[in-house]
Amino acid sequence: MFSGKLVINKNDRKRLQQVVDSARRSWSTYGPYLDWLNEQLEQAHACESSEVPGDLVTMNSQVELKDLRSGTTRTATLVYPGADDCGDGDSVSVFEPTGLALLGSRVGDVLGWSDPDRSHTAHVAKLRYQPEAAGDLDL
């Protein structure tokens, strides 16, 4: 529908660009990840919150991910950096490999990412909560 570009709401894109700029000044070791995310944000199709598709993973969305190797399902909430410190166990920062894979994905997508331990493949099985669909536009 949007020619393979990341789809993101305008508010999330603006806030994420500010976070990336701030992080670049302090996280030189994460430079390649930040550069990649910034490039995706600049090329993204940014739409109004009211135009966000109902199956799109946006910031603060909560999803069910099914691990394709083990068959286990976990819940993950995509959050801004720093918000993953709340200790609820399911928060995933957009700066983590899992978060980078989740941003802009859709229900039904198969995601792949690597972390220091191993590579992962998971299916976005369900969108449990999306702020735009719920009318929560100030998160």
Side-chain angles (χ1 to χ4, degrees), residues 7-41:
V7 177
I8 189 168
N9 81 47
K10 289 179 179 181
N11 295 332
D12 283 350
R13 181 169 76 172
K14 181 178 178 182
R15 187 169 173 194
L16 281 169
Q17 286 174 322
Q18 291 169 343
V19 171
V20 167
D21 288 344
S22 175
R24 266 202 188 121
R25 292 190 289 274
S26 61
W27 291 0
S28 60
T29 57
Y30 292 104
Y33 295 113
L34 298 175
D35 290 343
W36 180 85
L37 177 57
N38 193 53
E39 184 177 315
Q40 296 300 307
L41 294 171

Side-chain angles (χ1 to χ4, degrees), residues 46-57:
C47 57
E48 298 296 334
S49 297
S50 61
E51 299 171 348
V52 170
D55 64 344
L56 183 74
V57 178

Side-chain angles (χ1 to χ4, degrees), residues 98-134:
T98 308
L100 288 170
L102 278 171
L103 181 65
S105 66
R106 295 179 109 138
V107 174
D109 285 352
V110 173
L111 309 177
W113 69 94
S114 295
D115 61 28
D117 298 331
R118 67 181 181 100
S119 61
H120 302 268
T121 307
H123 173 253
V124 181
K126 182 178 183 180
L127 188 58
R128 298 178 129 215
Y129 169 78
Q130 182 200 65
E132 293 80 3

Side-chain angles (χ1 to χ4, degrees), residues 16 19 27 59 79-85 93-95:
L16 281 169
V19 171
W27 291 0
M59 294 305 299
V79 299
Y80 290 94
D84 53 332
D85 299 341
S93 169
V94 70
F95 281 4

